[in-house]
Amino acid sequence: MLIPLLYRSRLPRLARRMNTRVALVTYHGFTTRTAHAGIENHEKKHLDVRSFEEHVAFLAAHYAVLPLQEVCRAMANGAALPERTAVVTIDDGYRSIYRVAYPVLRRFGVPASVFLATEFVDDRRFLWTDRVEYAINTTVRERADLAVGPTTLHLDFRSRESRMAADRQVRSALKARPQDERDRLVDALEQAIDRRVADARDDTDLYQPLTWDEVREMAASGLVGFGSHTHTHVILSRCDADRAARELATSKAIIERELDRPCDAFCYPNGRRGDFNAATRQLLKDHGFRNGLTTVYGSNRRDADVYTLRRYNLGKPMVRGEVEVRLSGLMDVGSLLKR
């Protein structure tokens, strides 16, 4: 109820005019559909195109939307930026970036930075969360058990609600496991319920990655920049030093090979507190990255550390006026106290 009340007041407009902090906004996937089958997109990771159009129109009207690297250079060097500066970022590398979001960005002339999990794009290996969602959504089984460490998950697929609960249960359990074990557990789940998105021929467009031809076309436009999201979408702080270094080096090399230009932007998978630290920051610098984006909520001071930049997640359903309220900074009080 708070956001509608704030939106109906004049406070967001006043706060926006007074707020000189830099706002980075983030999305993941996009969709032209208003409804999805079963539990597909039940966590609303893929934003509907109409909402995205409204967001981009608002940003274009009220902010100087600049390329990420231009903003980061200014922040690192203490150079001037427009009073209200925003940056659009998109994680993972779904094909819907090209098919759904890119036409909107071109129409409004708004730049964006896309962060690629290069195994997803280069090897077309689906993201593990999508593999879990697809398997649970399409299985014909009613139940299955999955051993995760010392715990056995008892999964129920008899209703849409129980499938959503099972999907969340599996994701939560697997996020806490070591990276290599997580991959083996996803394989085990797919085998146990006899469903693999990699084998499916229909109804998988939501999960498909970009092609390199699509990436190159967007990069050539000058409107879309590309950075690393690791190679296999791992949480760097949960990797040993050698694995983390390989993830950075591999992803950087693939992007530079395909685009024939430097890759020096980075976004932390998951990106929450604890997913990055002093060691991962140094690794980024050692591998030639000039910034690191988190998913920690909030805006950024103009002298902020460019290796731990905060972002607003706008890639989810929102009530009327929520984008304006959040970007105004009125909801930032809790995050500012945690600095």
Side-chain angles (χ1 to χ4, degrees), residues 167-186:
D167 180 67
R168 291 176 177 141
Q169 189 179 8
V170 171
R171 292 189 197 207
S172 177
L174 267 57
K175 278 186 178 182
R177 307 307 298 177
Q179 305 296 324
D180 291 340
E181 181 184 352
R182 181 202 67 195
D183 293 339
R184 291 194 298 272
L185 288 168
V186 176

PDB file of all heavy atoms in Angstrom, residues 167-186:
ATOM      1  N   ASP A 167       9.488 -26.384  -7.292  1.00  0.00           N
ATOM      2  CA  ASP A 167      10.500 -25.610  -8.022  1.00  0.00           C
ATOM      3  C   ASP A 167      11.275 -24.706  -7.065  1.00  0.00           C
ATOM      4  O   ASP A 167      12.508 -24.651  -7.102  1.00  0.00           O
ATOM      5  CB  ASP A 167       9.817 -24.785  -9.106  1.00  0.00           C
ATOM      6  CG  ASP A 167      10.791 -23.944  -9.905  1.00  0.00           C
ATOM      7  OD1 ASP A 167      11.608 -24.529 -10.636  1.00  0.00           O
ATOM      8  OD2 ASP A 167      10.755 -22.712  -9.792  1.00  0.00           O
ATOM      9  N   ARG A 168      10.577 -24.019  -6.201  1.00  0.00           N
ATOM     10  CA  ARG A 168      11.244 -23.131  -5.244  1.00  0.00           C
ATOM     11  C   ARG A 168      12.088 -23.921  -4.248  1.00  0.00           C
ATOM     12  O   ARG A 168      13.174 -23.496  -3.858  1.00  0.00           O
ATOM     13  CB  ARG A 168      10.200 -22.282  -4.511  1.00  0.00           C
ATOM     14  CG  ARG A 168       9.541 -21.252  -5.427  1.00  0.00           C
ATOM     15  CD  ARG A 168       8.446 -20.503  -4.722  1.00  0.00           C
ATOM     16  NE  ARG A 168       7.874 -19.478  -5.596  1.00  0.00           N
ATOM     17  CZ  ARG A 168       6.594 -19.170  -5.669  1.00  0.00           C
ATOM     18  NH1 ARG A 168       5.713 -19.822  -4.907  1.00  0.00           N
ATOM     19  NH2 ARG A 168       6.157 -18.230  -6.483  1.00  0.00           N
ATOM     20  N   GLN A 169      11.581 -25.085  -3.842  1.00  0.00           N
ATOM     21  CA  GLN A 169      12.304 -25.929  -2.902  1.00  0.00           C
ATOM     22  C   GLN A 169      13.628 -26.397  -3.506  1.00  0.00           C
ATOM     23  O   GLN A 169      14.675 -26.342  -2.856  1.00  0.00           O
ATOM     24  CB  GLN A 169      11.425 -27.123  -2.530  1.00  0.00           C
ATOM     25  CG  GLN A 169      11.956 -27.976  -1.387  1.00  0.00           C
ATOM     26  CD  GLN A 169      11.011 -29.125  -1.057  1.00  0.00           C
ATOM     27  OE1 GLN A 169      10.026 -29.368  -1.771  1.00  0.00           O
ATOM     28  NE2 GLN A 169      11.308 -29.845   0.011  1.00  0.00           N
ATOM     29  N   VAL A 170      13.580 -26.837  -4.754  1.00  0.00           N
ATOM     30  CA  VAL A 170      14.794 -27.315  -5.417  1.00  0.00           C
ATOM     31  C   VAL A 170      15.778 -26.167  -5.622  1.00  0.00           C
ATOM     32  O   VAL A 170      16.974 -26.296  -5.344  1.00  0.00           O
ATOM     33  CB  VAL A 170      14.445 -27.985  -6.757  1.00  0.00           C
ATOM     34  CG1 VAL A 170      15.716 -28.291  -7.548  1.00  0.00           C
ATOM     35  CG2 VAL A 170      13.661 -29.261  -6.513  1.00  0.00           C
ATOM     36  N   ARG A 171      15.295 -25.036  -6.122  1.00  0.00           N
ATOM     37  CA  ARG A 171      16.199 -23.905  -6.349  1.00  0.00           C
ATOM     38  C   ARG A 171      16.887 -23.469  -5.064  1.00  0.00           C
ATOM     39  O   ARG A 171      18.089 -23.211  -5.044  1.00  0.00           O
ATOM     40  CB  ARG A 171      15.419 -22.715  -6.925  1.00  0.00           C
ATOM     41  CG  ARG A 171      14.900 -22.925  -8.321  1.00  0.00           C
ATOM     42  CD  ARG A 171      14.354 -21.615  -8.846  1.00  0.00           C
ATOM     43  NE  ARG A 171      13.501 -21.800 -10.007  1.00  0.00           N
ATOM     44  CZ  ARG A 171      13.324 -20.877 -10.935  1.00  0.00           C
ATOM     45  NH1 ARG A 171      13.947 -19.717 -10.836  1.00  0.00           N
ATOM     46  NH2 ARG A 171      12.521 -21.094 -11.958  1.00  0.00           N
ATOM     47  N   SER A 172      16.109 -23.364  -3.992  1.00  0.00           N
ATOM     48  CA  SER A 172      16.671 -22.928  -2.715  1.00  0.00           C
ATOM     49  C   SER A 172      17.727 -23.903  -2.221  1.00  0.00           C
ATOM     50  O   SER A 172      18.807 -23.504  -1.765  1.00  0.00           O
ATOM     51  CB  SER A 172      15.555 -22.793  -1.681  1.00  0.00           C
ATOM     52  OG  SER A 172      16.075 -22.432  -0.422  1.00  0.00           O
ATOM     53  N   ALA A 173      17.445 -25.197  -2.319  1.00  0.00           N
ATOM     54  CA  ALA A 173      18.391 -26.206  -1.844  1.00  0.00           C
ATOM     55  C   ALA A 173      19.654 -26.223  -2.692  1.00  0.00           C
ATOM     56  O   ALA A 173      20.771 -26.333  -2.173  1.00  0.00           O
ATOM     57  CB  ALA A 173      17.729 -27.580  -1.841  1.00  0.00           C
ATOM     58  N   LEU A 174      19.508 -26.087  -4.009  1.00  0.00           N
ATOM     59  CA  LEU A 174      20.663 -26.192  -4.891  1.00  0.00           C
ATOM     60  C   LEU A 174      21.549 -24.951  -4.846  1.00  0.00           C
ATOM     61  O   LEU A 174      22.756 -25.051  -5.059  1.00  0.00           O
ATOM     62  CB  LEU A 174      20.205 -26.475  -6.326  1.00  0.00           C
ATOM     63  CG  LEU A 174      20.151 -27.971  -6.696  1.00  0.00           C
ATOM     64  CD1 LEU A 174      19.244 -28.746  -5.767  1.00  0.00           C
ATOM     65  CD2 LEU A 174      19.715 -28.136  -8.151  1.00  0.00           C
ATOM     66  N   LYS A 175      20.969 -23.783  -4.588  1.00  0.00           N
ATOM     67  CA  LYS A 175      21.787 -22.572  -4.499  1.00  0.00           C
ATOM     68  C   LYS A 175      22.794 -22.665  -3.362  1.00  0.00           C
ATOM     69  O   LYS A 175      23.847 -22.027  -3.400  1.00  0.00           O
ATOM     70  CB  LYS A 175      20.900 -21.339  -4.305  1.00  0.00           C
ATOM     71  CG  LYS A 175      20.308 -20.804  -5.581  1.00  0.00           C
ATOM     72  CD  LYS A 175      19.564 -19.497  -5.344  1.00  0.00           C
ATOM     73  CE  LYS A 175      19.017 -18.940  -6.644  1.00  0.00           C
ATOM     74  NZ  LYS A 175      18.320 -17.643  -6.437  1.00  0.00           N
ATOM     75  N   ALA A 176      22.461 -23.441  -2.337  1.00  0.00           N
ATOM     76  CA  ALA A 176      23.336 -23.548  -1.178  1.00  0.00           C
ATOM     77  C   ALA A 176      24.428 -24.596  -1.348  1.00  0.00           C
ATOM     78  O   ALA A 176      25.296 -24.731  -0.488  1.00  0.00           O
ATOM     79  CB  ALA A 176      22.503 -23.884   0.067  1.00  0.00           C
ATOM     80  N   ARG A 177      24.407 -25.357  -2.450  1.00  0.00           N
ATOM     81  CA  ARG A 177      25.375 -26.426  -2.652  1.00  0.00           C
ATOM     82  C   ARG A 177      26.555 -25.940  -3.494  1.00  0.00           C
ATOM     83  O   ARG A 177      26.443 -24.963  -4.241  1.00  0.00           O
ATOM     84  CB  ARG A 177      24.723 -27.621  -3.360  1.00  0.00           C
ATOM     85  CG  ARG A 177      23.467 -28.146  -2.691  1.00  0.00           C
ATOM     86  CD  ARG A 177      23.666 -28.468  -1.241  1.00  0.00           C
ATOM     87  NE  ARG A 177      24.671 -29.520  -1.036  1.00  0.00           N
ATOM     88  CZ  ARG A 177      25.072 -29.935   0.159  1.00  0.00           C
ATOM     89  NH1 ARG A 177      24.596 -29.358   1.258  1.00  0.00           N
ATOM     90  NH2 ARG A 177      25.957 -30.899   0.253  1.00  0.00           N
ATOM     91  N   PRO A 178      27.702 -26.615  -3.395  1.00  0.00           N
ATOM     92  CA  PRO A 178      28.848 -26.276  -4.248  1.00  0.00           C
ATOM     93  C   PRO A 178      28.475 -26.367  -5.720  1.00  0.00           C
ATOM     94  O   PRO A 178      27.608 -27.158  -6.108  1.00  0.00           O
ATOM     95  CB  PRO A 178      29.889 -27.338  -3.862  1.00  0.00           C
ATOM     96  CG  PRO A 178      29.509 -27.771  -2.479  1.00  0.00           C
ATOM     97  CD  PRO A 178      28.009 -27.698  -2.431  1.00  0.00           C
ATOM     98  N   GLN A 179      29.152 -25.558  -6.540  1.00  0.00           N
ATOM     99  CA  GLN A 179      28.767 -25.434  -7.948  1.00  0.00           C
ATOM    100  C   GLN A 179      28.754 -26.771  -8.690  1.00  0.00           C
ATOM    101  O   GLN A 179      27.798 -27.089  -9.403  1.00  0.00           O
ATOM    102  CB  GLN A 179      29.724 -24.459  -8.646  1.00  0.00           C
ATOM    103  CG  GLN A 179      29.823 -23.102  -7.980  1.00  0.00           C
ATOM    104  CD  GLN A 179      28.502 -22.331  -8.014  1.00  0.00           C
ATOM    105  OE1 GLN A 179      27.763 -22.415  -8.984  1.00  0.00           O
ATOM    106  NE2 GLN A 179      28.210 -21.594  -6.961  1.00  0.00           N
ATOM    107  N   ASP A 180      29.812 -27.555  -8.564  1.00  0.00           N
ATOM    108  CA  ASP A 180      29.880 -28.822  -9.300  1.00  0.00           C
ATOM    109  C   ASP A 180      28.783 -29.782  -8.850  1.00  0.00           C
ATOM    110  O   ASP A 180      28.191 -30.493  -9.668  1.00  0.00           O
ATOM    111  CB  ASP A 180      31.255 -29.472  -9.113  1.00  0.00           C
ATOM    112  CG  ASP A 180      32.363 -28.688  -9.799  1.00  0.00           C
ATOM    113  OD1 ASP A 180      32.046 -27.892 -10.699  1.00  0.00           O
ATOM    114  OD2 ASP A 180      33.543 -28.871  -9.432  1.00  0.00           O
ATOM    115  N   GLU A 181      28.505 -29.795  -7.551  1.00  0.00           N
ATOM    116  CA  GLU A 181      27.451 -30.668  -7.039  1.00  0.00           C
ATOM    117  C   GLU A 181      26.086 -30.217  -7.552  1.00  0.00           C
ATOM    118  O   GLU A 181      25.231 -31.052  -7.884  1.00  0.00           O
ATOM    119  CB  GLU A 181      27.462 -30.667  -5.515  1.00  0.00           C
ATOM    120  CG  GLU A 181      26.398 -31.575  -4.914  1.00  0.00           C
ATOM    121  CD  GLU A 181      26.344 -31.489  -3.398  1.00  0.00           C
ATOM    122  OE1 GLU A 181      27.243 -30.843  -2.802  1.00  0.00           O
ATOM    123  OE2 GLU A 181      25.391 -32.038  -2.824  1.00  0.00           O
ATOM    124  N   ARG A 182      25.892 -28.917  -7.653  1.00  0.00           N
ATOM    125  CA  ARG A 182      24.619 -28.391  -8.158  1.00  0.00           C
ATOM    126  C   ARG A 182      24.331 -28.913  -9.555  1.00  0.00           C
ATOM    127  O   ARG A 182      23.215 -29.344  -9.861  1.00  0.00           O
ATOM    128  CB  ARG A 182      24.673 -26.866  -8.173  1.00  0.00           C
ATOM    129  CG  ARG A 182      23.384 -26.200  -8.651  1.00  0.00           C
ATOM    130  CD  ARG A 182      23.664 -24.803  -9.143  1.00  0.00           C
ATOM    131  NE  ARG A 182      24.467 -24.825 -10.362  1.00  0.00           N
ATOM    132  CZ  ARG A 182      25.106 -23.772 -10.854  1.00  0.00           C
ATOM    133  NH1 ARG A 182      25.067 -22.617 -10.217  1.00  0.00           N
ATOM    134  NH2 ARG A 182      25.804 -23.889 -11.977  1.00  0.00           N
ATOM    135  N   ASP A 183      25.321 -28.907 -10.426  1.00  0.00           N
ATOM    136  CA  ASP A 183      25.114 -29.387 -11.786  1.00  0.00           C
ATOM    137  C   ASP A 183      24.749 -30.862 -11.803  1.00  0.00           C
ATOM    138  O   ASP A 183      23.886 -31.296 -12.581  1.00  0.00           O
ATOM    139  CB  ASP A 183      26.367 -29.135 -12.620  1.00  0.00           C
ATOM    140  CG  ASP A 183      26.638 -27.654 -12.832  1.00  0.00           C
ATOM    141  OD1 ASP A 183      25.697 -26.851 -12.692  1.00  0.00           O
ATOM    142  OD2 ASP A 183      27.795 -27.295 -13.115  1.00  0.00           O
ATOM    143  N   ARG A 184      25.404 -31.649 -10.965  1.00  0.00           N
ATOM    144  CA  ARG A 184      25.084 -33.079 -10.905  1.00  0.00           C
ATOM    145  C   ARG A 184      23.656 -33.303 -10.396  1.00  0.00           C
ATOM    146  O   ARG A 184      22.954 -34.210 -10.859  1.00  0.00           O
ATOM    147  CB  ARG A 184      26.083 -33.808  -9.990  1.00  0.00           C
ATOM    148  CG  ARG A 184      27.501 -33.876 -10.563  1.00  0.00           C
ATOM    149  CD  ARG A 184      28.335 -34.883  -9.803  1.00  0.00           C
ATOM    150  NE  ARG A 184      28.500 -34.520  -8.399  1.00  0.00           N
ATOM    151  CZ  ARG A 184      29.481 -33.742  -7.926  1.00  0.00           C
ATOM    152  NH1 ARG A 184      30.377 -33.237  -8.760  1.00  0.00           N
ATOM    153  NH2 ARG A 184      29.560 -33.468  -6.649  1.00  0.00           N
ATOM    154  N   LEU A 185      23.222 -32.464  -9.452  1.00  0.00           N
ATOM    155  CA  LEU A 185      21.881 -32.603  -8.901  1.00  0.00           C
ATOM    156  C   LEU A 185      20.812 -32.241  -9.930  1.00  0.00           C
ATOM    157  O   LEU A 185      19.746 -32.873  -9.971  1.00  0.00           O
ATOM    158  CB  LEU A 185      21.744 -31.723  -7.649  1.00  0.00           C
ATOM    159  CG  LEU A 185      22.509 -32.227  -6.425  1.00  0.00           C
ATOM    160  CD1 LEU A 185      22.554 -31.148  -5.346  1.00  0.00           C
ATOM    161  CD2 LEU A 185      21.857 -33.507  -5.869  1.00  0.00           C
ATOM    162  N   VAL A 186      21.068 -31.247 -10.762  1.00  0.00           N
ATOM    163  CA  VAL A 186      20.110 -30.920 -11.821  1.00  0.00           C
ATOM    164  C   VAL A 186      20.013 -32.082 -12.803  1.00  0.00           C
ATOM    165  O   VAL A 186      18.918 -32.462 -13.237  1.00  0.00           O
ATOM    166  CB  VAL A 186      20.505 -29.614 -12.542  1.00  0.00           C
ATOM    167  CG1 VAL A 186      19.554 -29.345 -13.710  1.00  0.00           C
ATOM    168  CG2 VAL A 186      20.485 -28.433 -11.572  1.00  0.00           C
TER     169      VAL A 186
END
